[in-house]
Amino acid sequence: MMQVLTPRGVLREVQKAVPICETRIDFNGRNKKFLEVAKDMEVSPTAIGLVFRNYQNNICFPPYENELFIGNLKTEEVKKIQQKLLSEGYYDFSRLSYQKAKIFEKTVFDSGRTSPYTSDFTSGIMSLEAIGIRTISPSDIFSGSCVGVMEADFGSVCNEYDGEGEDEQE
């Protein structure tokens, strides 16, 4: 069993901890953000995504608190977090000092040279579901729940499933 103390100081049981690669580039007058699950630690992940266990059946936590994203970390810090979760089963995210930005667009990304940012304090961070980390069951996805994209301007990251691409019934 793995547990974390969230940046807000809430003790949660972790179902999944995934290293994430993030980058931002200026393109066509806009700052584009890219997030993707790291294929391995050699690609230098700078974020970690956590999915909490039993969130769907726990009325104590609203649905948006089923996951935690910590970005703008040094790759060595991502490795240390994962090693500590595996060896000790615990990590204290409340001990870190976070950026003060209240919205994602105002966060600084510099591969960990400055403070990290977190979904606990910053709104507008893409759901982990949007980058391929399953946080809900497939039946929830196809019942009309939101499905995200891997790259977006973070203004509209959800599209309802419209059944396109399904085989036609004979």
Side-chain angles (χ1 to χ4, degrees), residues 38-79:
K39 66 178 184 166
D40 57 41
M41 294 306 283
E42 299 301 315
V43 295
S44 302
T46 56
I48 191 159
L50 304 171
V51 177
F52 298 124
R53 186 174 302 286
N54 298 327
Y55 70 88
Q56 290 177 327
N57 300 324
N58 191 337
I59 60 171
C60 297
F61 299 104
Y64 59 84
E65 291 186 5
N66 66 335
E67 59 191 44
L68 179 67
F69 180 89
I70 310 285
N72 197 45
L73 295 166
K74 292 180 180 174
T75 300
E76 296 77 31
E77 184 73 11
V78 174
K79 289 177 184 177

Side-chain angles (χ1 to χ4, degrees), residues 96-110:
L96 300 176
S97 178
Y98 293 94
Q99 295 179 30
K100 304 293 183 212
K102 298 286 186 213
I103 59 171
F104 181 72
E105 288 77 16
K106 302 286 184 188
T107 59
V108 173
F109 173 72
D110 57 13

Side-chain angles (χ1 to χ4, degrees), residues 31-158:
N31 189 271
K32 304 290 280 182
K33 297 100 176 155
F34 295 86
L35 300 170
E36 190 169 294
V37 174
K39 66 178 184 166
D40 57 41
M41 294 306 283
E42 299 301 315
V43 295
S44 302
T46 56
I48 191 159
L50 304 171
V51 177
F52 298 124
R53 186 174 302 286
N54 298 327
Y55 70 88
Q56 290 177 327
N57 300 324
N58 191 337
I59 60 171
C60 297
F61 299 104
Y64 59 84
E65 291 186 5
N66 66 335
E67 59 191 44
L68 179 67
F69 180 89
I70 310 285
N72 197 45
L73 295 166
K74 292 180 180 174
T75 300
E76 296 77 31
E77 184 73 11
V78 174
K79 289 177 184 177
K80 187 171 95 177
I81 290 167
Q82 286 196 305
Q83 288 170 350
K84 189 160 175 140
L85 283 171
L86 287 172
S87 65
E88 298 175 24
Y90 176 78
Y91 192 83
D92 183 358
F93 285 103
S94 70
R95 69 169 184 76
L96 300 176
S97 178
Y98 293 94
Q99 295 179 30
K100 304 293 183 212
K102 298 286 186 213
I103 59 171
F104 181 72
E105 288 77 16
K106 302 286 184 188
T107 59
V108 173
F109 173 72
D110 57 13
S111 298
R113 288 189 296 275
T114 59
S115 298
Y117 63 92
T118 175
S119 58
D120 248 10
F121 301 135
T122 305
S123 65
I125 296 175
M126 184 182 295
S127 166
L128 297 179
E129 184 77 35
I131 60 171
I133 302 171
R134 178 164 287 153
T135 60
I136 57 177
S137 70
S139 61
D140 291 336
I141 293 170
F142 295 110
S143 68
S145 299
C146 281
V147 179
V149 293
M150 286 180 17
E151 178 275 321
D153 65 357
F154 291 84
S156 58
V157 295
C158 289

